[in-house]
Structure formats: structure tokens, C-alpha cells
Amino acid sequence: MDTGDTAWVLLCSALVLFMTPGLALFYGGMVRSKNVLGTLMHSFFAMGLISILWVLIGYTLAFGPDHGGLIGGLDFLGFHGVSSNAPHPAGLGATIPHSSFAIFQMMFAIITPALITGAFAERIKFSGYIVFMSLWLLLVYAPVAHWVWHPDGWLFKLGALDFAGGTVVHINAGIAALVAVIVVGKRRGFGKEAFVPHNLTLTILGTGILWFGWFGFNAGSALGANGLAASAFLATNLGAAAGAVGWALMESMKDRKATTLGVASGAVAGLVAITPASGYVGPLGAIAIGLLGGVICSWAVSLKFRFGYDDSLDVVGVHMVGGLVGALATGIFSTAAINEFGADGLLAGGGLALLGKQAVAVGATLAFSFIVTMIICKVVDATVGLRVTEEDEITGLDLSQHSEVGYSLSESSGSSMSHAGSHAEGHMVSAVRVPQGGEA
């Protein structure tokens, strides 16, 4: 055991956990004010729910002893045998305790399903969200994580590369988001009303936290305080920087103005794109991938209007498309000179072999996540229900799902707050209407 490596991985675990409140702010600022708390809850509650599920069963399904290259066994159920004195028996993080690796992976498991929630924001039942998130973690996330990151997983053995989550996190969550919005349906007024972000200040703050925490996400995936971590750290920053610039350039060319929301979205798109490649590419490759992410994702977010699906906060356009860009670009820009456990991509003289493996990983993730997520959504919708009633949607998730309001800026909203509080004590608040200063 190396104390420096262990300290680094634990620090990076904290950074990755910090990304989830950052995601909450990033999403929360983009919804209407009547839905800000409901949107924040989707990410924040995941920190509690997924942490418990990960220890109970999620971790062992993802990283337990292999069964056919598809799923882990139940040996680590309830973290049984997850030692603080020895590494993972399959050699995952050879210089850090097994418990440190399991904790680090817990933080990935928390934020991945939380990413999906931005797609169905402003219309999802809280009870339906809880059941959906739980099932998706165990039936979709854990198997894909095993395929890609366990040494005996079939995509790992194939030679597909995903340093920190292009397929496992972003493509997986992005295609699931598309399925969810198809099943849940459009927001009331989609395509007819303008859904204006109520507080872009929160979104920019959330973006900064995501950018900061992403260093733990990618550099921490080196599983040690070493040169590879430093390389991934640099690539992460350059990917975000290039993504922000690329999106701003696209906006300037189209509308002659760059927006703060566009730059924030571009930074996240660049971070998404560089994630699978961060441990396999040099600085110039990182800039190219981040730029591609910013430019392509800025175009992709407009597809929801062309095809008519209501992806509230552009999870599909940023995470699925950005993940696709990054996963495939890894097959082009990867070089074994950066990481001996990687492979040479197209530009490093490796030919099309790695690109083909990346395409297989992308296709398998898209197909599996789409099919299983569709089944989960149909089952949850038929039992617990996924969507709030029209009345609750008009009122807003804050009051209808949580009996709270996000802002108390006047006597009238303060009065509504007191009524909402009394609701928690059993009183009726069906007549309460909160002024929505930020609602379109």
C-alpha cells in the first residue's frame, strides 16, 4: 500500500462527490423558479440513496468476481470483504486499499444516474424518480461498469478504452435520458412557450464546481499520485477550455453573440468529451477533442426541436453526444506514449483497430442501456407512476412534491412559504399560488 496514492484517491473521491452538488446548481439554475428545489433534490438526494445502494449491492454487481464477462458476483455484498489493508483482488488500484477504490467508484455511481434527471426536469414524480434511479443503478449502470472497467469484463478484454467514463457514465446516462423523456412525455407548453432559465448565476456557479471536481473524476482515475494523473489533469483542463471556446465560437457565428449559458454548456461538453480519452492523449489531442465536443454538442442540442423530444436541460445533446465524440475520438488520438496500458489510435499509427473497438463499446452501451431503461421506465410508470399530474406540473415541483418554495422574496411568497410549511403538518395548501417571478 502506498500512502500517497491512497491519499490522492481519497481526495479525488471527495472531488467527485462535490460534483453532484455542482450538478444540482448547474441544473437548478436552468429551470423555472417554481421547480428549483425539486431539481436540486434530484441530484442531492442521489448522494444519500445511491451511497446506500452501492454498499448494499451495487458495488459487488459492478466489481465483484466476474461471471461471464457480464456482471460481478455477490462476494462483496454489503461491502463484505472490501478490505482496508489489501487491494482489490483483481488488481484494480494495486497500490491502494480495496476500500479506497470502492469509495472512489461510489462517487461515479452517484453522479451518473443524477445526470439523467436533467432530461425529465420539471415534470417527474419524486416517488417515481426514486424507484427509477434505484433500478437503473443496479440493472444498467453496474453491468456496464463491469463490462468496461473490470479486468474480466468483455469490453475490457476486447481492448476498448474508457479512462474515466465516456461509455460507462456519459453515453450510458445520455441514452437513458432520451428513453426517459420519450416515456415521460413533453412538458406542458413545450414548443409553444419559452422556458426561460430563472437563475443563470446558479448555473455558472455549478459549472465552476463541475470543472473543479472533474479533476478528481479524470485524474483520480489514474488510481495513484503519478505522472499519468498529472497528464489526465492537464488534458481535463484543456478539454474544458476548448469546449467552452468551441461553443462560444459556434454561438458567435450563428447569433453574433456568445452567451454565458453557452460557454458553461461548452465547458461541460468539453469535459464530457475528454473524459474517456483523458488518460490516453497528450495536450494537443485534448484540445482537439474538447473543441470537437463544444462544436458538435452546440449543434446537437438543437435536435430536440427538430425531432420533438423534450430534453429539458440538454442531457442528450451534451452527455450522450459528447460521450460519443470522446469515445470515438479516443480511437483517433490515443497514444501508448502517454499510457502504456492504452493503445495507439489512428493518428499515432495504430490504424483503425482501436477505433473499431471503441465503436463496438459505444454500440453495445447504447443498445443495452436503451432496452433496459425502456423496460424500467415502463414498469415504474405502470406501478408507481413517473409523471406528476397536470395540476402539480402547473403548480411546480417545489410545492407539489416537497411543500416548499425556493425563494421568499416578498410578503406574498413568504405567506406561501408559511402555508407550505403548515402543509407538512397536515394542512391543505391546494389553493396556494406562489408568484413566479422567473417563470416565462
Side-chain angles (χ1 to χ4, degrees):
M1 298 296 97
D2 185 283
T3 56
D5 289 349
T6 302
W8 171 245
V9 171
L10 290 175
L11 172 62
C12 288
S13 300
L15 287 174
V16 179
L17 181 64
F18 191 41
M19 290 173 67
T20 302
L23 179 70
L25 294 174
F26 180 74
Y27 281 169
M30 287 192 280
V31 297
R32 290 166 289 179
S33 58
K34 64 182 181 180
N35 296 313
V36 59
L37 291 180
T39 302
L40 293 173
M41 273 285 279
H42 290 160
S43 292
F44 202 80
F45 190 76
M47 295 166 67
L49 175 66
I50 304 302
S51 292
I52 294 170
L53 289 175
W54 189 246
V55 169
L56 293 178
I57 190 171
Y59 177 71
T60 195
L61 294 176
F63 294 101
D66 177 66
H67 285 260
L70 299 175
I71 196 70
L74 300 180
D75 300 52
F76 303 143
L77 199 67
F79 265 34
H80 174 75
V82 178
S83 173
S84 296
N85 301 308
H88 188 288
L92 292 163
T95 62
I96 63 172
H98 188 177
S99 58
S100 297
F101 175 79
I103 291 167
F104 182 63
Q105 289 297 332
M106 177 193 291
M107 307 315 172
F108 282 71
I110 289 169
I111 197 169
T112 303
L115 292 173
I116 302 171
T117 65
F120 49 55
E122 302 197 293
R123 59 201 187 276
I124 197 77
K125 284 176 63 176
F126 191 64
S127 57
Y129 145 87
I130 291 174
V131 178
F132 170 81
M133 293 272 280
S134 301
L135 293 175
W136 194 85
L137 173 78
L138 302 179
L139 301 179
V140 181
Y141 179 82
V144 175
H146 186 84
W147 298 356
V148 176
W149 285 335
H150 193 284
D152 293 318
W154 75 274
L155 286 175
F156 188 101
K157 294 175 76 171
L158 176 69
L161 301 180
D162 184 359
F163 192 71
T167 50
V168 179
V169 176
H170 299 292
I171 296 175
N172 201 6
I175 188 64
L178 179 60
V179 173
V181 298
I182 291 172
V183 175
V184 173
K186 304 172 187 178
R187 284 170 292 179
R188 181 178 175 275
F190 177 75
K192 300 176 183 178
E193 303 174 17
F195 297 125
V196 181
H198 88 284
N199 192 339
L200 287 179
T201 306
L202 288 182
T203 298
I204 294 296
L205 177 59
T207 305
I209 294 173
L210 285 170
W211 192 330
F212 174 71
W214 223 292
F215 293 123
F217 204 77
N218 290 354
S221 293
L223 300 179
N226 49 40
L228 181 58
S231 179
F233 194 109
L234 176 61
T236 301
N237 194 62
L238 292 174
V245 171
W247 198 301
L249 287 173
M250 290 292 286
E251 283 190 326
S252 298
M253 292 170 60
K254 181 182 177 182
D255 303 318
R256 305 186 68 83
K257 291 180 181 178
T259 65
T260 53
L261 179 57
V263 170
S265 299
V268 173
L271 287 163
V272 170
I274 196 58
T275 290
S278 56
Y280 304 112
V281 301
L284 296 182
I287 292 172
I289 292 172
L291 193 61
L292 284 171
V295 169
I296 294 174
C297 290
S298 69
W299 163 78
V301 296
S302 65
L303 294 179
K304 65 182 181 182
F305 300 108
R306 183 177 304 175
F307 293 107
Y309 62 89
D310 184 10
D311 176 10
S312 303
L313 307 180
D314 298 320
V315 180
V316 178
V318 173
H319 292 278
M320 188 187 81
V321 174
L324 288 169
V325 169
L328 296 176
T330 302
I332 298 173
F333 294 98
S334 175
T335 170
I338 295 293
N339 187 341
E340 62 179 319
F341 297 106
D344 286 332
L346 182 63
L347 295 183
L352 295 173
L354 179 58
L355 185 58
K357 295 173 182 177
Q358 297 300 103
V360 170
V362 166
T365 302
L366 286 172
F368 178 77
S369 186
F370 183 94
I371 293 169
V372 181
T373 303
M374 179 64 75
I375 295 171
I376 292 171
C377 285
K378 292 292 187 179
V379 170
V380 175
D381 196 36
T383 53
V384 180
L386 280 173
R387 184 162 185 156
V388 298
T389 64
E390 183 177 358
E391 181 182 357
D392 285 348
E393 186 176 348
I394 294 170
T395 301
L397 300 186
D398 293 2
L399 272 175
S400 69
Q401 301 299 297
H402 306 294
S403 298
E404 300 172 296
V405 293
Y407 303 100
S408 180
L409 304 177
S410 65
E411 274 191 35
S412 57
S413 62
S415 173
S416 296
M417 177 72 86
S418 65
H419 279 290
S422 68
H423 176 69
E425 298 172 9
H427 297 285
M428 298 298 293
V429 292
S430 58
V432 173
R433 290 289 294 147
V434 179
Q436 301 297 329
E439 183 179 353

